[in-house]
Amino acid sequence: ANDAIVSAASLITSLQSVVCRNVDPLEASVVTCGTIKGGFGYNIIADKVTITGTARAFSKTTQELVKKRMEEVCCGCSTMYGSTTNFTYEHGYPPTVNAYPECVEMVRNAAKRVVGEQRCGLPQRTMGAEDFSFFLEQRPGCFWFVGAAKRGEVLPHHKSIFDFDERALLISASTFVELVNDILR
């Protein structure tokens, strides 16, 4: 019998090589398998497994390369295990890129007045997928983060235990008001 669990386990491991063996190390990208569902009982060979996840990159060219290699890996695992794979890649959010330095500087200046220069970090790249990226494709803008960790706690994002300090909402709203005032002046 074809065991979908064994095939899926090999597929997940193989997908982890897509980035490290195909993407330029200076061009960041990530592939994450977020869920795996399959099987009905501990003593029954699973006939179906569903895997979901995400792939992210800073450029559309790299996104397309990762998509192509993911599909090829899926087909290769199917051939190796004599199974069938239905690969579906849904294009979610484009990369969130602050491409206009003047917008970043405006936000930094507004934030400095709210939290002080010492608490205003420098711009950095992240792999966050964000619907704001659609706006940034159409108009100049700036996506920024407001630290919201509860004092003394470091809880990872996208985990069931995540929580945040709601006072951060005041900081982000105040920064936005400062930014609007600057634009109106």
Side-chain angles (χ1 to χ4, degrees), residues 97-149:
V97 179
N98 288 332
Y100 295 88
E102 63 275 14
C103 294
V104 173
E105 193 58 32
M106 288 175 69
V107 171
R108 283 184 50 76
N109 288 335
K112 286 176 189 177
R113 289 192 302 276
V114 173
V115 297
E117 187 165 0
Q118 71 283 1
R119 291 181 60 202
C120 191
L122 296 173
Q124 52 186 269
R125 298 171 76 181
T126 73
M127 283 290 174
E130 177 56 51
D131 56 359
F132 191 75
S133 60
F134 291 113
F135 291 108
L136 291 175
E137 285 188 329
Q138 300 300 316
R139 299 282 188 271
C142 179
F143 184 84
W144 77 89
F145 289 98
V146 176

Side-chain angles (χ1 to χ4, degrees), residues 32 43-44 46 49 56-57 71 81 86 109 113 126 130 136 149 153 164:
T32 299
N43 62 344
I44 301 169
V49 171
R56 299 179 185 179
E71 186 168 20
Y81 287 96
N86 297 315
N109 288 335
R113 289 192 302 276
T126 73
E130 177 56 51
L136 291 175
E153 290 185 300
F164 71 99

Side-chain angles (χ1 to χ4, degrees), residues 2-5 8 36-40 45-51 84 86:
N2 291 335
D3 190 337
I5 300 282
I36 179 170
K37 299 174 185 169
F40 298 99
I45 295 174
D47 60 348
K48 182 178 178 181
V49 171
T50 301
I51 302 167
T84 302
N86 297 315

Side-chain angles (χ1 to χ4, degrees), residues 7-143:
S7 180
S10 178
L11 176 58
I12 290 169
T13 302
S14 297
L15 285 171
Q16 297 310 302
S17 70
V18 167
V19 171
C20 68
R21 295 293 176 247
N22 296 276
V23 177
D24 180 338
L26 300 177
E27 182 67 34
S29 183
V30 66
V31 171
T32 299
C33 294
T35 69
I36 179 170
K37 299 174 185 169
F40 298 99
Y42 73 94
N43 62 344
I44 301 169
I45 295 174
D47 60 348
K48 182 178 178 181
V49 171
T50 301
I51 302 167
T52 65
T54 186
R56 299 179 185 179
F58 287 124
S59 74
K60 289 184 179 184
T61 302
T62 302
Q63 279 182 328
E64 287 303 316
L65 169 66
V66 168
K67 173 187 173 185
K68 178 180 178 284
R69 291 299 295 139
M70 286 175 67
E71 186 168 20
E72 291 168 352
V73 167
C74 287
C75 291
C77 277
S78 287
T79 300
M80 187 167 66
Y81 287 96
S83 59
T84 302
T85 298
N86 297 315
F87 177 77
T88 304
Y89 188 102
E90 296 177 14
H91 285 277
Y93 304 110
T96 305
V97 179
N98 288 332
Y100 295 88
E102 63 275 14
C103 294
V104 173
E105 193 58 32
M106 288 175 69
V107 171
R108 283 184 50 76
N109 288 335
K112 286 176 189 177
R113 289 192 302 276
V114 173
V115 297
E117 187 165 0
Q118 71 283 1
R119 291 181 60 202
C120 191
L122 296 173
Q124 52 186 269
R125 298 171 76 181
T126 73
M127 283 290 174
E130 177 56 51
D131 56 359
F132 191 75
S133 60
F134 291 113
F135 291 108
L136 291 175
E137 285 188 329
Q138 300 300 316
R139 299 282 188 271
C142 179
F143 184 84

